[in-house]
Amino acid sequence: MTVNAKPTPGSQLISPTDHALIMIDFQSQMSFATKSIDAVLLRNNAALVAHAAAGFKVPAILTTVAEKSFSGPLFSEISDAFPGQAMLDRTSMNTWEDAAVIDEVNRIGKRRLVICGLWTSVCIVGPALSALDQGFEVYVIADACGDVSDEAHDRAMDRMVQAGARPMTSLQYLLELQRDWARGETYDLTTGIARKFGGAYGLGIIYAKSMFGASEGH
């Protein structure tokens, strides 16, 4: 049987309009015990995800746990990307068991969810498995999550993938939203975020643009 290729994206690739982002518990108290990823890298990756979503106008839910009484405020790198947006504070470890969060998920109305936060084995596994059980598609940004040990993070990722979640990375999230360098309306947005938060890749962009005015879209 002949298979004919077409120049169209696969259905499992994300786009700015087909999903909602949920960023969970990026707070000081949660990060103190996080050992599976360096704190600076975690903040950087969370910032990359937040600014990518905000720039591409992806609907986002920002949630905290016991913000005033225990865990502290959301990372400023995230709140700065969504100025004026309310944080949904919870008592439940599983975000999916919070009525206000679920009201927002239903208001947004996206069947595909992208999730990241602290800690992977508790506050990410809970909503990921719960959403999958209710028929949602779930993507987890692995390097914008962290846990108390490598083992805790890795086993949590394994458990979610085995249940049907799709893992990705923070830079992958940004570039998948752009997907084509010829999309001039978001080219400067994407490369700007990459320059600021994209690590060595961002340095490469700075060098290429500074030294010989390079541009991927031409």
Side-chain angles (χ1 to χ4, degrees):
M1 181 178 176
T2 302
V3 178
N4 294 315
K6 301 176 182 179
T8 56
S11 61
Q12 292 187 26
L13 294 173
I14 63 169
S15 74
T17 59
D18 71 359
H19 72 283
L21 173 69
I22 307 178
M23 302 193 77
I24 300 171
D25 302 352
F26 285 101
Q27 299 167 268
S28 300
Q29 178 63 34
M30 302 302 295
S31 66
F32 292 157
T34 297
K35 304 301 181 184
S36 65
I37 183 172
D38 176 75
V40 174
L41 181 58
L42 173 66
R43 292 178 69 179
N44 189 79
N45 292 346
L48 194 156
V49 170
H51 285 266
F56 280 90
K57 297 179 171 54
V58 174
I61 299 171
L62 310 178
T63 182
T64 56
V65 62
E67 177 189 358
K68 302 297 183 184
S69 61
F70 185 75
S71 298
L74 199 71
F75 292 176
S76 60
E77 294 90 341
I78 298 173
S79 55
D80 288 349
F82 299 98
Q85 178 163 332
M87 312 295 160
L88 301 181
D89 196 49
R90 323 176 319 279
T91 59
S92 61
M93 285 184 252
N94 180 6
T95 299
W96 206 259
E97 295 179 43
D98 185 85
V101 172
I102 296 307
D103 286 346
E104 190 65 4
V105 170
N106 290 332
R107 184 191 69 79
I108 293 169
K110 302 292 184 182
R111 183 172 176 269
R112 178 173 286 176
L113 304 175
V114 176
I115 302 176
C116 57
L118 302 175
W119 295 321
T120 323
S121 62
V122 182
C123 301
I124 304 305
V125 161
L129 297 186
S130 301
L132 286 165
D133 194 57
Q134 294 179 20
F136 288 81
E137 290 182 57
V138 175
Y139 292 68
V140 179
I141 305 180
D143 66 347
C145 294
D147 214 316
V148 297
S149 67
D150 290 344
E151 184 76 10
H153 173 78
D154 292 345
R155 297 295 76 76
M157 290 301 305
D158 289 345
R159 185 178 178 189
M160 290 185 286
V161 170
Q162 289 167 4
R166 296 170 179 143
M168 63 191 311
T169 66
S170 53
L171 186 57
Q172 180 184 4
Y173 179 70
L174 169 66
L175 297 181
E176 203 160 313
L177 293 177
Q178 174 69 20
R179 201 180 304 152
D180 187 342
W181 293 121
R183 293 176 178 164
E185 67 276 10
T186 51
Y187 176 83
D188 288 340
L189 168 73
T190 299
T191 55
I193 293 171
R195 284 198 302 268
K196 189 170 184 180
F197 303 114
Y201 173 59
L203 290 175
I205 293 175
I206 293 171
Y207 174 82
K209 290 187 179 297
S210 299
M211 299 303 292
F212 45 89
S215 176
E216 293 90 336
H218 301 286

